[in-house]
Amino acid sequence: MQKIAVIGAGISGLAIANLLKEKFIVKTFESENKPGGLIACDNINGILYHKIGGHIFNSKNKMVLDWFWNFFDIKKEFTKTTRNAVIHLNNIFVNYPIENFIYQLPNEIIKNIITDLLNSKKKRVKNFEDFLLVNFGQTLYRIYFKPYNEKIWGHDLSKISIDWLNGKLPNPSIEKIIYNNFVKANETSMVHSTFYYPYKNGSQFIADKLAKNLNIEYNSKINSIKRNKEKWLVNDYECEKIIFCGNVLDLPRILKKDFRGIKLLKYHGTTSVLCKIKNNPYSWVYMPNETHNSHRIICTGNFSKTNNAGGGGGGIAATIEFTNKI
């Protein structure tokens, strides 16, 4: 059987290793002492800390759902939750997505948004800024879409190609926006309008279970990848194929080559802070205002009570996210 080296035991590496292990000899290398990568969590004095985001699970792809639930007991190990996200906008809370809840905004802003929508003309868009202005109008762009997305991307929205975001953006018609506000509709078509979340240990539970029957070498930093005749050497491990699921920025160091394309990649990082906040009904709180350095509060204590020390009495666990401008 062919040997395959999978580099990285994050969710991508764990998934591909499980998919291949029946037909190949698969060895996974992970630089940390446990699996998970970006979905890894730490337990801090009984509180679950999602270090990078509050990771939940759902998919519209039946093949993905069928594959995932082969590993887990949907009834015993997971809870199904309805998304309850809000936007903290100029000291008021507006439900998410904002275009469905225009009626919750101050009257003068509502009037301006209606004018924008009625005067909107569809045109070919070339960048992210164009897309937002054409679909939602100047007022919504100014008060929410521009400040929030600039916080996240750390980049001029007019310089972000629409191709980068293909298939990831909401594209409601003006008729749909108006209708949803008339009937006060909740958004049910978004992939995470409902989601699944483990009762215990959050996304670390998912990583641990996916890693259970895999051959993973932890605390293993990849220092070199070399070609040795018909085979590859990953450090000293010989194999026929390599699947790289690590940080692409590490490749020049590992391969000892200067990749100009990698240097040109635009990226940013995320810093998070674990904290305790007042009890509330929310799952996410988006924060576009410039008065806040953070862009989002993830109320992970509401995903499962076990995320809170002592069950959450007197407050819940939350992860506050900040975008690093790199």
Side-chain angles (χ1 to χ4, degrees), residues 126-160:
K126 297 180 180 179
N127 56 61
F128 193 21
E129 181 181 68
D130 282 350
F131 173 87
L132 294 171
L133 285 169
V134 166
N135 284 279
F136 302 105
Q138 181 67 45
T139 305
L140 279 176
Y141 178 75
R142 174 178 54 81
I143 66 171
Y144 171 64
F145 288 108
K146 183 178 189 291
Y148 183 71
N149 281 285
E150 284 187 345
K151 264 190 183 183
I152 292 177
W153 295 91
H155 202 62
D156 183 343
L157 303 188
S158 68
K159 300 294 192 299
I160 298 177

PDB file of all heavy atoms in Angstrom, residues 126-160:
ATOM      1  N   LYS A 126     -17.390  44.983  -9.909  1.00  0.00           N
ATOM      2  CA  LYS A 126     -16.007  44.557 -10.097  1.00  0.00           C
ATOM      3  C   LYS A 126     -15.290  44.268  -8.783  1.00  0.00           C
ATOM      4  O   LYS A 126     -14.254  43.624  -8.777  1.00  0.00           O
ATOM      5  CB  LYS A 126     -15.240  45.638 -10.866  1.00  0.00           C
ATOM      6  CG  LYS A 126     -15.755  45.891 -12.273  1.00  0.00           C
ATOM      7  CD  LYS A 126     -14.929  46.964 -12.948  1.00  0.00           C
ATOM      8  CE  LYS A 126     -15.425  47.235 -14.358  1.00  0.00           C
ATOM      9  NZ  LYS A 126     -14.634  48.298 -15.027  1.00  0.00           N
ATOM     10  N   ASN A 127     -15.841  44.777  -7.692  1.00  0.00           N
ATOM     11  CA  ASN A 127     -15.170  44.594  -6.407  1.00  0.00           C
ATOM     12  C   ASN A 127     -16.195  44.491  -5.291  1.00  0.00           C
ATOM     13  O   ASN A 127     -17.409  44.643  -5.506  1.00  0.00           O
ATOM     14  CB  ASN A 127     -14.188  45.737  -6.143  1.00  0.00           C
ATOM     15  CG  ASN A 127     -14.861  47.099  -6.211  1.00  0.00           C
ATOM     16  OD1 ASN A 127     -15.769  47.391  -5.434  1.00  0.00           O
ATOM     17  ND2 ASN A 127     -14.429  47.938  -7.147  1.00  0.00           N
ATOM     18  N   PHE A 128     -15.714  44.238  -4.098  1.00  0.00           N
ATOM     19  CA  PHE A 128     -16.583  44.027  -2.943  1.00  0.00           C
ATOM     20  C   PHE A 128     -17.402  45.269  -2.619  1.00  0.00           C
ATOM     21  O   PHE A 128     -18.589  45.190  -2.292  1.00  0.00           O
ATOM     22  CB  PHE A 128     -15.718  43.620  -1.750  1.00  0.00           C
ATOM     23  CG  PHE A 128     -16.482  43.079  -0.583  1.00  0.00           C
ATOM     24  CD1 PHE A 128     -17.759  42.555  -0.713  1.00  0.00           C
ATOM     25  CD2 PHE A 128     -15.898  43.062   0.682  1.00  0.00           C
ATOM     26  CE1 PHE A 128     -18.452  42.037   0.377  1.00  0.00           C
ATOM     27  CE2 PHE A 128     -16.582  42.554   1.778  1.00  0.00           C
ATOM     28  CZ  PHE A 128     -17.853  42.052   1.629  1.00  0.00           C
ATOM     29  N   GLU A 129     -16.784  46.433  -2.698  1.00  0.00           N
ATOM     30  CA  GLU A 129     -17.501  47.678  -2.425  1.00  0.00           C
ATOM     31  C   GLU A 129     -18.663  47.862  -3.394  1.00  0.00           C
ATOM     32  O   GLU A 129     -19.784  48.187  -2.972  1.00  0.00           O
ATOM     33  CB  GLU A 129     -16.545  48.863  -2.525  1.00  0.00           C
ATOM     34  CG  GLU A 129     -17.220  50.196  -2.221  1.00  0.00           C
ATOM     35  CD  GLU A 129     -16.255  51.362  -2.351  1.00  0.00           C
ATOM     36  OE1 GLU A 129     -15.835  51.655  -3.489  1.00  0.00           O
ATOM     37  OE2 GLU A 129     -15.924  51.965  -1.308  1.00  0.00           O
ATOM     38  N   ASP A 130     -18.420  47.642  -4.675  1.00  0.00           N
ATOM     39  CA  ASP A 130     -19.487  47.732  -5.677  1.00  0.00           C
ATOM     40  C   ASP A 130     -20.644  46.809  -5.319  1.00  0.00           C
ATOM     41  O   ASP A 130     -21.814  47.189  -5.400  1.00  0.00           O
ATOM     42  CB  ASP A 130     -18.966  47.324  -7.061  1.00  0.00           C
ATOM     43  CG  ASP A 130     -18.152  48.417  -7.722  1.00  0.00           C
ATOM     44  OD1 ASP A 130     -18.142  49.550  -7.200  1.00  0.00           O
ATOM     45  OD2 ASP A 130     -17.529  48.133  -8.755  1.00  0.00           O
ATOM     46  N   PHE A 131     -20.309  45.573  -4.964  1.00  0.00           N
ATOM     47  CA  PHE A 131     -21.334  44.578  -4.650  1.00  0.00           C
ATOM     48  C   PHE A 131     -22.239  45.069  -3.516  1.00  0.00           C
ATOM     49  O   PHE A 131     -23.472  44.983  -3.588  1.00  0.00           O
ATOM     50  CB  PHE A 131     -20.676  43.256  -4.267  1.00  0.00           C
ATOM     51  CG  PHE A 131     -21.646  42.217  -3.767  1.00  0.00           C
ATOM     52  CD1 PHE A 131     -22.292  41.377  -4.658  1.00  0.00           C
ATOM     53  CD2 PHE A 131     -21.924  42.101  -2.409  1.00  0.00           C
ATOM     54  CE1 PHE A 131     -23.200  40.433  -4.204  1.00  0.00           C
ATOM     55  CE2 PHE A 131     -22.824  41.159  -1.948  1.00  0.00           C
ATOM     56  CZ  PHE A 131     -23.463  40.318  -2.849  1.00  0.00           C
ATOM     57  N   LEU A 132     -21.624  45.567  -2.446  1.00  0.00           N
ATOM     58  CA  LEU A 132     -22.396  46.004  -1.288  1.00  0.00           C
ATOM     59  C   LEU A 132     -23.248  47.226  -1.602  1.00  0.00           C
ATOM     60  O   LEU A 132     -24.417  47.305  -1.196  1.00  0.00           O
ATOM     61  CB  LEU A 132     -21.450  46.294  -0.125  1.00  0.00           C
ATOM     62  CG  LEU A 132     -20.707  45.071   0.433  1.00  0.00           C
ATOM     63  CD1 LEU A 132     -19.638  45.510   1.426  1.00  0.00           C
ATOM     64  CD2 LEU A 132     -21.669  44.089   1.091  1.00  0.00           C
ATOM     65  N   LEU A 133     -22.697  48.179  -2.334  1.00  0.00           N
ATOM     66  CA  LEU A 133     -23.450  49.386  -2.679  1.00  0.00           C
ATOM     67  C   LEU A 133     -24.627  49.074  -3.597  1.00  0.00           C
ATOM     68  O   LEU A 133     -25.729  49.595  -3.411  1.00  0.00           O
ATOM     69  CB  LEU A 133     -22.515  50.403  -3.340  1.00  0.00           C
ATOM     70  CG  LEU A 133     -21.554  51.136  -2.410  1.00  0.00           C
ATOM     71  CD1 LEU A 133     -20.504  51.903  -3.211  1.00  0.00           C
ATOM     72  CD2 LEU A 133     -22.309  52.086  -1.490  1.00  0.00           C
ATOM     73  N   VAL A 134     -24.403  48.222  -4.592  1.00  0.00           N
ATOM     74  CA  VAL A 134     -25.460  47.894  -5.550  1.00  0.00           C
ATOM     75  C   VAL A 134     -26.590  47.115  -4.872  1.00  0.00           C
ATOM     76  O   VAL A 134     -27.772  47.346  -5.146  1.00  0.00           O
ATOM     77  CB  VAL A 134     -24.886  47.092  -6.737  1.00  0.00           C
ATOM     78  CG1 VAL A 134     -25.996  46.460  -7.568  1.00  0.00           C
ATOM     79  CG2 VAL A 134     -24.030  47.987  -7.609  1.00  0.00           C
ATOM     80  N   ASN A 135     -26.245  46.200  -3.988  1.00  0.00           N
ATOM     81  CA  ASN A 135     -27.258  45.326  -3.402  1.00  0.00           C
ATOM     82  C   ASN A 135     -27.943  45.900  -2.169  1.00  0.00           C
ATOM     83  O   ASN A 135     -29.088  45.530  -1.884  1.00  0.00           O
ATOM     84  CB  ASN A 135     -26.631  43.974  -3.057  1.00  0.00           C
ATOM     85  CG  ASN A 135     -26.418  43.114  -4.283  1.00  0.00           C
ATOM     86  OD1 ASN A 135     -27.339  42.473  -4.772  1.00  0.00           O
ATOM     87  ND2 ASN A 135     -25.197  43.113  -4.804  1.00  0.00           N
ATOM     88  N   PHE A 136     -27.248  46.794  -1.432  1.00  0.00           N
ATOM     89  CA  PHE A 136     -27.819  47.256  -0.177  1.00  0.00           C
ATOM     90  C   PHE A 136     -27.934  48.774  -0.058  1.00  0.00           C
ATOM     91  O   PHE A 136     -28.563  49.260   0.877  1.00  0.00           O
ATOM     92  CB  PHE A 136     -26.988  46.713   0.997  1.00  0.00           C
ATOM     93  CG  PHE A 136     -26.914  45.213   1.012  1.00  0.00           C
ATOM     94  CD1 PHE A 136     -25.761  44.556   0.620  1.00  0.00           C
ATOM     95  CD2 PHE A 136     -28.008  44.461   1.392  1.00  0.00           C
ATOM     96  CE1 PHE A 136     -25.686  43.168   0.624  1.00  0.00           C
ATOM     97  CE2 PHE A 136     -27.954  43.072   1.407  1.00  0.00           C
ATOM     98  CZ  PHE A 136     -26.795  42.420   1.016  1.00  0.00           C
ATOM     99  N   GLY A 137     -27.321  49.510  -0.970  1.00  0.00           N
ATOM    100  CA  GLY A 137     -27.461  50.958  -0.956  1.00  0.00           C
ATOM    101  C   GLY A 137     -26.440  51.670  -0.087  1.00  0.00           C
ATOM    102  O   GLY A 137     -25.751  51.058   0.740  1.00  0.00           O
ATOM    103  N   GLN A 138     -26.356  52.982  -0.273  1.00  0.00           N
ATOM    104  CA  GLN A 138     -25.336  53.806   0.372  1.00  0.00           C
ATOM    105  C   GLN A 138     -25.488  53.839   1.884  1.00  0.00           C
ATOM    106  O   GLN A 138     -24.505  53.802   2.619  1.00  0.00           O
ATOM    107  CB  GLN A 138     -25.403  55.228  -0.193  1.00  0.00           C
ATOM    108  CG  GLN A 138     -24.382  56.193   0.366  1.00  0.00           C
ATOM    109  CD  GLN A 138     -22.953  55.837  -0.033  1.00  0.00           C
ATOM    110  OE1 GLN A 138     -22.694  55.522  -1.183  1.00  0.00           O
ATOM    111  NE2 GLN A 138     -22.032  55.868   0.929  1.00  0.00           N
ATOM    112  N   THR A 139     -26.722  53.903   2.376  1.00  0.00           N
ATOM    113  CA  THR A 139     -26.924  54.069   3.818  1.00  0.00           C
ATOM    114  C   THR A 139     -26.493  52.830   4.598  1.00  0.00           C
ATOM    115  O   THR A 139     -25.735  52.927   5.576  1.00  0.00           O
ATOM    116  CB  THR A 139     -28.397  54.385   4.123  1.00  0.00           C
ATOM    117  OG1 THR A 139     -28.800  55.535   3.360  1.00  0.00           O
ATOM    118  CG2 THR A 139     -28.596  54.663   5.604  1.00  0.00           C
ATOM    119  N   LEU A 140     -26.968  51.650   4.188  1.00  0.00           N
ATOM    120  CA  LEU A 140     -26.561  50.415   4.864  1.00  0.00           C
ATOM    121  C   LEU A 140     -25.058  50.179   4.717  1.00  0.00           C
ATOM    122  O   LEU A 140     -24.411  49.676   5.635  1.00  0.00           O
ATOM    123  CB  LEU A 140     -27.332  49.213   4.310  1.00  0.00           C
ATOM    124  CG  LEU A 140     -28.740  48.993   4.860  1.00  0.00           C
ATOM    125  CD1 LEU A 140     -29.422  47.831   4.149  1.00  0.00           C
ATOM    126  CD2 LEU A 140     -28.716  48.735   6.364  1.00  0.00           C
ATOM    127  N   TYR A 141     -24.523  50.558   3.560  1.00  0.00           N
ATOM    128  CA  TYR A 141     -23.086  50.425   3.356  1.00  0.00           C
ATOM    129  C   TYR A 141     -22.327  51.306   4.342  1.00  0.00           C
ATOM    130  O   TYR A 141     -21.361  50.855   4.973  1.00  0.00           O
ATOM    131  CB  TYR A 141     -22.726  50.815   1.925  1.00  0.00           C
ATOM    132  CG  TYR A 141     -21.248  50.747   1.630  1.00  0.00           C
ATOM    133  CD1 TYR A 141     -20.614  49.527   1.446  1.00  0.00           C
ATOM    134  CD2 TYR A 141     -20.472  51.912   1.545  1.00  0.00           C
ATOM    135  CE1 TYR A 141     -19.253  49.459   1.190  1.00  0.00           C
ATOM    136  CE2 TYR A 141     -19.114  51.852   1.280  1.00  0.00           C
ATOM    137  CZ  TYR A 141     -18.512  50.621   1.098  1.00  0.00           C
ATOM    138  OH  TYR A 141     -17.163  50.555   0.848  1.00  0.00           O
ATOM    139  N   ARG A 142     -22.789  52.510   4.527  1.00  0.00           N
ATOM    140  CA  ARG A 142     -22.082  53.469   5.387  1.00  0.00           C
ATOM    141  C   ARG A 142     -22.160  53.086   6.864  1.00  0.00           C
ATOM    142  O   ARG A 142     -21.161  53.168   7.584  1.00  0.00           O
ATOM    143  CB  ARG A 142     -22.660  54.874   5.190  1.00  0.00           C
ATOM    144  CG  ARG A 142     -22.105  55.932   6.137  1.00  0.00           C
ATOM    145  CD  ARG A 142     -22.685  57.303   5.840  1.00  0.00           C
ATOM    146  NE  ARG A 142     -24.142  57.302   5.839  1.00  0.00           N
ATOM    147  CZ  ARG A 142     -24.889  57.358   6.943  1.00  0.00           C
ATOM    148  NH1 ARG A 142     -24.317  57.430   8.140  1.00  0.00           N
ATOM    149  NH2 ARG A 142     -26.203  57.367   6.858  1.00  0.00           N
ATOM    150  N   ILE A 143     -23.338  52.671   7.340  1.00  0.00           N
ATOM    151  CA  ILE A 143     -23.506  52.459   8.777  1.00  0.00           C
ATOM    152  C   ILE A 143     -23.093  51.060   9.232  1.00  0.00           C
ATOM    153  O   ILE A 143     -22.789  50.852  10.409  1.00  0.00           O
ATOM    154  CB  ILE A 143     -24.966  52.731   9.229  1.00  0.00           C
ATOM    155  CG1 ILE A 143     -25.924  51.687   8.617  1.00  0.00           C
ATOM    156  CG2 ILE A 143     -25.381  54.149   8.909  1.00  0.00           C
ATOM    157  CD1 ILE A 143     -27.333  51.771   9.185  1.00  0.00           C
ATOM    158  N   TYR A 144     -23.083  50.099   8.297  1.00  0.00           N
ATOM    159  CA  TYR A 144     -22.775  48.738   8.729  1.00  0.00           C
ATOM    160  C   TYR A 144     -21.763  48.010   7.851  1.00  0.00           C
ATOM    161  O   TYR A 144     -20.690  47.610   8.326  1.00  0.00           O
ATOM    162  CB  TYR A 144     -24.069  47.910   8.807  1.00  0.00           C
ATOM    163  CG  TYR A 144     -23.808  46.446   9.033  1.00  0.00           C
ATOM    164  CD1 TYR A 144     -23.207  46.000  10.219  1.00  0.00           C
ATOM    165  CD2 TYR A 144     -24.143  45.493   8.077  1.00  0.00           C
ATOM    166  CE1 TYR A 144     -22.942  44.648  10.432  1.00  0.00           C
ATOM    167  CE2 TYR A 144     -23.890  44.144   8.285  1.00  0.00           C
ATOM    168  CZ  TYR A 144     -23.293  43.722   9.455  1.00  0.00           C
ATOM    169  OH  TYR A 144     -23.023  42.392   9.661  1.00  0.00           O
ATOM    170  N   PHE A 145     -22.077  47.807   6.569  1.00  0.00           N
ATOM    171  CA  PHE A 145     -21.251  46.936   5.737  1.00  0.00           C
ATOM    172  C   PHE A 145     -19.816  47.431   5.588  1.00  0.00           C
ATOM    173  O   PHE A 145     -18.867  46.641   5.668  1.00  0.00           O
ATOM    174  CB  PHE A 145     -21.884  46.753   4.354  1.00  0.00           C
ATOM    175  CG  PHE A 145     -23.103  45.884   4.375  1.00  0.00           C
ATOM    176  CD1 PHE A 145     -24.364  46.430   4.187  1.00  0.00           C
ATOM    177  CD2 PHE A 145     -23.002  44.520   4.591  1.00  0.00           C
ATOM    178  CE1 PHE A 145     -25.500  45.635   4.207  1.00  0.00           C
ATOM    179  CE2 PHE A 145     -24.125  43.708   4.615  1.00  0.00           C
ATOM    180  CZ  PHE A 145     -25.385  44.270   4.422  1.00  0.00           C
ATOM    181  N   LYS A 146     -19.634  48.732   5.389  1.00  0.00           N
ATOM    182  CA  LYS A 146     -18.279  49.259   5.219  1.00  0.00           C
ATOM    183  C   LYS A 146     -17.457  49.150   6.511  1.00  0.00           C
ATOM    184  O   LYS A 146     -16.373  48.554   6.501  1.00  0.00           O
ATOM    185  CB  LYS A 146     -18.317  50.700   4.728  1.00  0.00           C
ATOM    186  CG  LYS A 146     -16.938  51.312   4.459  1.00  0.00           C
ATOM    187  CD  LYS A 146     -17.087  52.737   3.917  1.00  0.00           C
ATOM    188  CE  LYS A 146     -15.746  53.290   3.434  1.00  0.00           C
ATOM    189  NZ  LYS A 146     -14.824  53.542   4.559  1.00  0.00           N
ATOM    190  N   PRO A 147     -17.924  49.699   7.635  1.00  0.00           N
ATOM    191  CA  PRO A 147     -17.081  49.639   8.836  1.00  0.00           C
ATOM    192  C   PRO A 147     -16.843  48.212   9.326  1.00  0.00           C
ATOM    193  O   PRO A 147     -15.737  47.887   9.781  1.00  0.00           O
ATOM    194  CB  PRO A 147     -17.861  50.451   9.875  1.00  0.00           C
ATOM    195  CG  PRO A 147     -19.255  50.522   9.362  1.00  0.00           C
ATOM    196  CD  PRO A 147     -19.155  50.494   7.875  1.00  0.00           C
ATOM    197  N   TYR A 148     -17.852  47.346   9.221  1.00  0.00           N
ATOM    198  CA  TYR A 148     -17.663  45.985   9.719  1.00  0.00           C
ATOM    199  C   TYR A 148     -16.683  45.215   8.851  1.00  0.00           C
ATOM    200  O   TYR A 148     -15.767  44.562   9.351  1.00  0.00           O
ATOM    201  CB  TYR A 148     -18.996  45.242   9.794  1.00  0.00           C
ATOM    202  CG  TYR A 148     -18.832  43.850  10.368  1.00  0.00           C
ATOM    203  CD1 TYR A 148     -18.542  43.679  11.720  1.00  0.00           C
ATOM    204  CD2 TYR A 148     -18.928  42.723   9.564  1.00  0.00           C
ATOM    205  CE1 TYR A 148     -18.352  42.422  12.257  1.00  0.00           C
ATOM    206  CE2 TYR A 148     -18.736  41.459  10.089  1.00  0.00           C
ATOM    207  CZ  TYR A 148     -18.461  41.311  11.444  1.00  0.00           C
ATOM    208  OH  TYR A 148     -18.259  40.060  11.960  1.00  0.00           O
ATOM    209  N   ASN A 149     -16.840  45.270   7.547  1.00  0.00           N
ATOM    210  CA  ASN A 149     -15.969  44.507   6.661  1.00  0.00           C
ATOM    211  C   ASN A 149     -14.553  45.061   6.616  1.00  0.00           C
ATOM    212  O   ASN A 149     -13.592  44.306   6.449  1.00  0.00           O
ATOM    213  CB  ASN A 149     -16.572  44.444   5.257  1.00  0.00           C
ATOM    214  CG  ASN A 149     -17.682  43.416   5.157  1.00  0.00           C
ATOM    215  OD1 ASN A 149     -17.421  42.210   5.125  1.00  0.00           O
ATOM    216  ND2 ASN A 149     -18.923  43.879   5.128  1.00  0.00           N
ATOM    217  N   GLU A 150     -14.401  46.369   6.778  1.00  0.00           N
ATOM    218  CA  GLU A 150     -13.046  46.924   6.840  1.00  0.00           C
ATOM    219  C   GLU A 150     -12.340  46.475   8.122  1.00  0.00           C
ATOM    220  O   GLU A 150     -11.125  46.276   8.134  1.00  0.00           O
ATOM    221  CB  GLU A 150     -13.094  48.447   6.743  1.00  0.00           C
ATOM    222  CG  GLU A 150     -13.353  48.931   5.321  1.00  0.00           C
ATOM    223  CD  GLU A 150     -13.247  50.433   5.174  1.00  0.00           C
ATOM    224  OE1 GLU A 150     -13.256  51.130   6.217  1.00  0.00           O
ATOM    225  OE2 GLU A 150     -13.156  50.909   4.024  1.00  0.00           O
ATOM    226  N   LYS A 151     -13.116  46.314   9.203  1.00  0.00           N
ATOM    227  CA  LYS A 151     -12.538  45.774  10.424  1.00  0.00           C
ATOM    228  C   LYS A 151     -12.012  44.360  10.198  1.00  0.00           C
ATOM    229  O   LYS A 151     -10.910  44.007  10.610  1.00  0.00           O
ATOM    230  CB  LYS A 151     -13.599  45.732  11.536  1.00  0.00           C
ATOM    231  CG  LYS A 151     -13.594  46.900  12.486  1.00  0.00           C
ATOM    232  CD  LYS A 151     -14.510  46.584  13.657  1.00  0.00           C
ATOM    233  CE  LYS A 151     -14.600  47.774  14.599  1.00  0.00           C
ATOM    234  NZ  LYS A 151     -15.424  47.448  15.780  1.00  0.00           N
ATOM    235  N   ILE A 152     -12.828  43.535   9.547  1.00  0.00           N
ATOM    236  CA  ILE A 152     -12.466  42.139   9.348  1.00  0.00           C
ATOM    237  C   ILE A 152     -11.306  41.995   8.366  1.00  0.00           C
ATOM    238  O   ILE A 152     -10.322  41.296   8.624  1.00  0.00           O
ATOM    239  CB  ILE A 152     -13.676  41.331   8.813  1.00  0.00           C
ATOM    240  CG1 ILE A 152     -14.742  41.239   9.885  1.00  0.00           C
ATOM    241  CG2 ILE A 152     -13.246  39.940   8.371  1.00  0.00           C
ATOM    242  CD1 ILE A 152     -15.979  40.523   9.425  1.00  0.00           C
ATOM    243  N   TRP A 153     -11.433  42.667   7.213  1.00  0.00           N
ATOM    244  CA  TRP A 153     -10.450  42.470   6.145  1.00  0.00           C
ATOM    245  C   TRP A 153      -9.206  43.320   6.323  1.00  0.00           C
ATOM    246  O   TRP A 153      -8.139  42.995   5.787  1.00  0.00           O
ATOM    247  CB  TRP A 153     -11.087  42.787   4.791  1.00  0.00           C
ATOM    248  CG  TRP A 153     -12.188  41.856   4.405  1.00  0.00           C
ATOM    249  CD1 TRP A 153     -13.527  41.999   4.672  1.00  0.00           C
ATOM    250  CD2 TRP A 153     -12.067  40.631   3.682  1.00  0.00           C
ATOM    251  NE1 TRP A 153     -14.240  40.949   4.171  1.00  0.00           N
ATOM    252  CE2 TRP A 153     -13.372  40.091   3.547  1.00  0.00           C
ATOM    253  CE3 TRP A 153     -11.005  39.941   3.131  1.00  0.00           C
ATOM    254  CZ2 TRP A 153     -13.620  38.890   2.884  1.00  0.00           C
ATOM    255  CZ3 TRP A 153     -11.257  38.741   2.471  1.00  0.00           C
ATOM    256  CH2 TRP A 153     -12.550  38.230   2.366  1.00  0.00           C
ATOM    257  N   GLY A 154      -9.346  44.431   7.044  1.00  0.00           N
ATOM    258  CA  GLY A 154      -8.206  45.328   7.185  1.00  0.00           C
ATOM    259  C   GLY A 154      -7.735  45.842   5.843  1.00  0.00           C
ATOM    260  O   GLY A 154      -6.528  46.002   5.622  1.00  0.00           O
ATOM    261  N   HIS A 155      -8.685  46.109   4.958  1.00  0.00           N
ATOM    262  CA  HIS A 155      -8.332  46.375   3.568  1.00  0.00           C
ATOM    263  C   HIS A 155      -9.405  47.254   2.937  1.00  0.00           C
ATOM    264  O   HIS A 155     -10.584  47.174   3.305  1.00  0.00           O
ATOM    265  CB  HIS A 155      -8.235  45.034   2.830  1.00  0.00           C
ATOM    266  CG  HIS A 155      -7.403  45.079   1.584  1.00  0.00           C
ATOM    267  ND1 HIS A 155      -6.058  45.397   1.592  1.00  0.00           N
ATOM    268  CD2 HIS A 155      -7.720  44.824   0.296  1.00  0.00           C
ATOM    269  CE1 HIS A 155      -5.587  45.339   0.363  1.00  0.00           C
ATOM    270  NE2 HIS A 155      -6.585  45.000  -0.443  1.00  0.00           N
ATOM    271  N   ASP A 156      -8.999  48.085   1.990  1.00  0.00           N
ATOM    272  CA  ASP A 156      -9.925  48.899   1.209  1.00  0.00           C
ATOM    273  C   ASP A 156     -10.860  47.966   0.430  1.00  0.00           C
ATOM    274  O   ASP A 156     -10.415  47.147  -0.375  1.00  0.00           O
ATOM    275  CB  ASP A 156      -9.125  49.782   0.242  1.00  0.00           C
ATOM    276  CG  ASP A 156     -10.006  50.726  -0.563  1.00  0.00           C
ATOM    277  OD1 ASP A 156     -11.236  50.516  -0.633  1.00  0.00           O
ATOM    278  OD2 ASP A 156      -9.460  51.668  -1.160  1.00  0.00           O
ATOM    279  N   LEU A 157     -12.177  48.074   0.664  1.00  0.00           N
ATOM    280  CA  LEU A 157     -13.121  47.138   0.041  1.00  0.00           C
ATOM    281  C   LEU A 157     -13.162  47.260  -1.470  1.00  0.00           C
ATOM    282  O   LEU A 157     -13.502  46.289  -2.169  1.00  0.00           O
ATOM    283  CB  LEU A 157     -14.535  47.343   0.616  1.00  0.00           C
ATOM    284  CG  LEU A 157     -14.681  47.202   2.136  1.00  0.00           C
ATOM    285  CD1 LEU A 157     -16.148  47.235   2.535  1.00  0.00           C
ATOM    286  CD2 LEU A 157     -14.020  45.931   2.640  1.00  0.00           C
ATOM    287  N   SER A 158     -12.809  48.428  -1.986  1.00  0.00           N
ATOM    288  CA  SER A 158     -12.792  48.602  -3.439  1.00  0.00           C
ATOM    289  C   SER A 158     -11.631  47.863  -4.088  1.00  0.00           C
ATOM    290  O   SER A 158     -11.584  47.688  -5.304  1.00  0.00           O
ATOM    291  CB  SER A 158     -12.738  50.092  -3.808  1.00  0.00           C
ATOM    292  OG  SER A 158     -11.487  50.644  -3.432  1.00  0.00           O
ATOM    293  N   LYS A 159     -10.668  47.424  -3.244  1.00  0.00           N
ATOM    294  CA  LYS A 159      -9.507  46.698  -3.763  1.00  0.00           C
ATOM    295  C   LYS A 159      -9.668  45.171  -3.622  1.00  0.00           C
ATOM    296  O   LYS A 159      -8.790  44.407  -4.005  1.00  0.00           O
ATOM    297  CB  LYS A 159      -8.243  47.130  -3.016  1.00  0.00           C
ATOM    298  CG  LYS A 159      -7.924  48.616  -3.143  1.00  0.00           C
ATOM    299  CD  LYS A 159      -7.559  48.981  -4.574  1.00  0.00           C
ATOM    300  CE  LYS A 159      -6.963  50.382  -4.671  1.00  0.00           C
ATOM    301  NZ  LYS A 159      -7.852  51.457  -4.220  1.00  0.00           N
ATOM    302  N   ILE A 160     -10.811  44.746  -3.064  1.00  0.00           N
ATOM    303  CA  ILE A 160     -11.072  43.317  -2.899  1.00  0.00           C
ATOM    304  C   ILE A 160     -11.873  42.832  -4.092  1.00  0.00           C
ATOM    305  O   ILE A 160     -13.016  43.249  -4.302  1.00  0.00           O
ATOM    306  CB  ILE A 160     -11.828  43.035  -1.592  1.00  0.00           C
ATOM    307  CG1 ILE A 160     -10.984  43.460  -0.392  1.00  0.00           C
ATOM    308  CG2 ILE A 160     -12.190  41.552  -1.488  1.00  0.00           C
ATOM    309  CD1 ILE A 160     -11.670  43.278   0.949  1.00  0.00           C
TER     310      ILE A 160
END
